[in-house]
Amino acid sequence: MNLNSRSLALLTALAVAAVLTAFLALASYFSSEGLMVALVLVFICCFLLVYFSYEALVFREIKNLYSSLEKIKRQEYKKVEGRSIFTADPLRKIKDDIFLIAERKQQEIDELKHLQVMRREFLADVSHELKTPIFAAQGFIHTLLDGAMDDPAVRDKFLQKAANSLDGLDTLVQDLLSISQFETGVVKMEKQDFDAVQLMREVFEQLEQKAAARQIHLHLDVRPNEKVMLHADPNRIRQVFINLVDNAIKYGRDGGNIWASFTEGRKRYTITVKDDGAGIAEEHINRIFERFYRIEKSRSRDRGGSGLGLAISKHIVEAHRSFIAVKSELGKGTTLRFKLLKAKAA
Ligand code: ADP
């Protein structure tokens, strides 16, 4: 017999009614009609009582639990209900637990799906970025092999172009390596005390020619002999300074200006790099730190950008427990700033 709440109630009611009627039959003052009525009444009451208790309190709850389990099996985590009509504690606890597990599994699945999409996009971006310099170098070398080698002027020009493409490829691979190291968390900051003014001066010297080529003026806003002693990883911070100043040159206007300044706080210095270049439209501002994100793809590529500079800078600054803030207005310029801890002695 298939055991459900109705058949269980039927059996229980029959048993109770039979026992009760047997007892009543022993008491001689009940007529046979009376016994019949008692039997029917006890049976009906008992049946209704037991049926509704089983149905409402046990079977419906268990049915709910099983349907939740079924949905978990089918991985339909979102459809698992957390609501319970039953207030008895053990069953509610089981149901709550199932609901919790389902919720956690759903989160894990959403996260994995998101990671999968990101990985796919990253692979597509990487292959696209690698293709450009490889194809360029390949083209120059094949043209040389096909006869261009005989003309010394063409040969030198093409060899130089192939070398430039391979240099770009090298930078790209280094940047990719840095990004992947930061993302797997294997990069350790080698913190020490150093003078950030001196570091910025060196970066300005390194990029002086690039700025001069577009008549861009570099300004170091510090007092004579001023030192800004920081406690951070100088090599990594140099990389951030280079990325910010290099971007300010690349996306600055011809004949424009770039200012670097340091503002002292209680525990930290704020480092600011500002330009009066093209600026960034509001819809792009929050995205410029994403890997491979470029606003004007063709223009940025012409100027040698891989779209990884700011992503790496963000990682470096975050590894110093800080963040980079950006403020920009189209046509007016861009300001990037971040804070770093002062040197202990300072
Ligand atoms: P890229 O190698 O292309 O320069 P970045 O990660 O350094 O990559 O920068 C991402 C994008 O942000 C750039 O392609 C550019 O469009 C924009 N950007 C960065 N810095 C500036 C700036 N100072 N002024 C205007 N746009 C900027």
Side-chain angles (χ1 to χ4, degrees):
M1 184 180 188
N2 196 2
L3 268 192
N4 56 26
S5 49
R6 190 173 306 147
S7 49
L8 265 176
L10 205 75
L11 286 175
T12 317
L14 260 176
V16 173
V19 171
L20 243 159
T21 318
F23 270 113
L24 290 177
L26 288 178
S28 50
Y29 45 82
F30 272 100
S31 63
S32 53
E33 291 86 38
L35 281 177
M36 211 46 211
V37 172
L39 178 83
V40 171
L41 274 179
V42 170
F43 174 76
I44 292 173
C45 292
C46 209
F47 173 78
L48 290 177
L49 201 73
V50 174
Y51 174 68
F52 283 112
S53 325
Y54 276 138
E55 182 62 20
L57 302 182
V58 183
F59 277 91
R60 201 176 298 172
E61 275 308 303
I62 290 177
K63 236 164 45 193
N64 269 348
L65 287 178
Y66 271 100
S67 90
S68 298
L69 278 175
E70 275 304 310
K71 284 170 188 162
I72 289 178
K73 266 198 250 161
R74 293 200 305 268
Q75 305 202 329
E76 293 171 1
Y77 302 118
K78 271 184 187 151
K79 291 189 190 156
V80 177
E81 286 178 38
R83 187 169 46 87
S84 172
I85 52 145
F86 183 51
T87 48
D89 277 342
L91 280 182
R92 164 168 264 177
K93 206 175 161 329
I94 296 173
K95 186 150 193 185
D96 286 350
D97 282 352
I98 290 178
F99 179 60
L100 247 171
I101 294 170
E103 210 174 33
R104 225 172 282 148
K105 288 279 169 219
Q106 185 61 51
Q107 274 171 4
E108 278 171 23
I109 285 178
D110 289 348
E111 242 164 66
L112 284 174
K113 277 186 184 161
H114 180 65
L115 279 177
Q116 202 180 12
V117 171
M118 278 181 40
R119 201 169 299 139
R120 216 177 296 139
E121 281 175 5
F122 183 61
L123 262 178
D125 284 336
V126 170
S127 7
H128 181 77
E129 294 299 327
L130 290 176
K131 246 169 33 193
T132 315
I134 291 174
F135 280 0
Q138 204 177 24
F140 292 126
I141 290 167
H142 279 297
T143 318
L144 285 171
L145 289 176
D146 289 345
M149 199 118 76
D150 304 333
D151 179 342
V154 176
R155 183 193 59 203
D156 290 354
K157 196 169 125 197
F158 276 30
L159 277 176
Q160 188 56 51
K161 285 189 180 226
N164 289 347
S165 295
L166 293 175
D167 286 348
L169 186 64
D170 182 46
T171 313
L172 178 64
V173 172
Q174 302 275 3
D175 285 352
L176 281 171
L177 207 66
S178 299
I179 287 266
S180 97
Q181 283 171 343
F182 275 112
E183 288 182 0
T184 46
V186 295
V187 182
K188 263 191 78 184
M189 294 295 121
E190 311 268 345
K191 291 187 187 171
Q192 52 178 277
D193 293 354
F194 66 94
D195 178 15
V197 173
Q198 179 56 29
L199 190 67
M200 189 61 92
R201 204 168 273 132
E202 287 167 19
V203 170
F204 272 12
E205 278 164 16
Q206 189 180 330
L207 296 171
E208 211 166 42
Q209 281 193 348
K210 196 170 180 179
R214 301 189 51 217
Q215 297 89 46
I216 291 177
H217 307 280
L218 303 174
H219 308 271
L220 194 51
D221 282 350
V222 289
R223 292 187 303 276
N225 301 324
E226 183 182 351
K227 282 189 174 188
V228 169
M229 295 305 292
L230 299 179
H231 185 70
D233 183 330
N235 288 323
R236 301 283 178 184
I237 297 304
R238 178 194 297 273
Q239 206 177 342
V240 178
F241 284 2
I242 291 177
N243 285 341
L244 299 192
V245 177
D246 188 46
N247 276 351
I249 298 172
K250 279 193 296 193
Y251 309 109
R253 62 181 175 83
D254 291 350
N257 295 282
I258 295 167
W259 298 268
S261 59
F262 303 88
T263 318
E264 188 168 4
R266 209 163 55 84
K267 286 186 173 171
R268 293 162 177 241
Y269 270 102
T270 302
I271 297 115
T272 307
V273 176
K274 184 175 168 217
D275 67 64
D276 55 1
I280 302 167
E282 202 166 331
E283 68 264 29
H284 298 294
I285 283 197
N286 290 328
R287 303 205 55 192
I288 58 171
F289 295 101
E290 290 174 19
R291 296 180 302 211
F292 298 115
Y293 192 81
R294 301 195 198 90
I295 297 168
E296 278 182 70
K297 299 197 168 14
S298 55
R299 184 168 159 226
S300 306
R301 196 192 293 280
D302 286 348
R303 298 191 178 168
S306 66
L308 291 173
L310 284 182
I312 293 173
S313 302
K314 180 173 177 265
H315 274 302
I316 294 175
V317 173
E318 282 175 356
H320 286 84
R321 294 172 189 275
S322 186
F323 63 93
I324 305 192
V326 54
K327 229 173 81 182
S328 189
E329 211 178 319
L330 263 186
K332 294 215 166 147
T334 304
T335 305
L336 284 120
R337 52 167 62 100
F338 61 99
K339 294 183 181 190
L340 285 178
L341 272 183
K342 287 179 178 179
K344 290 192 178 101

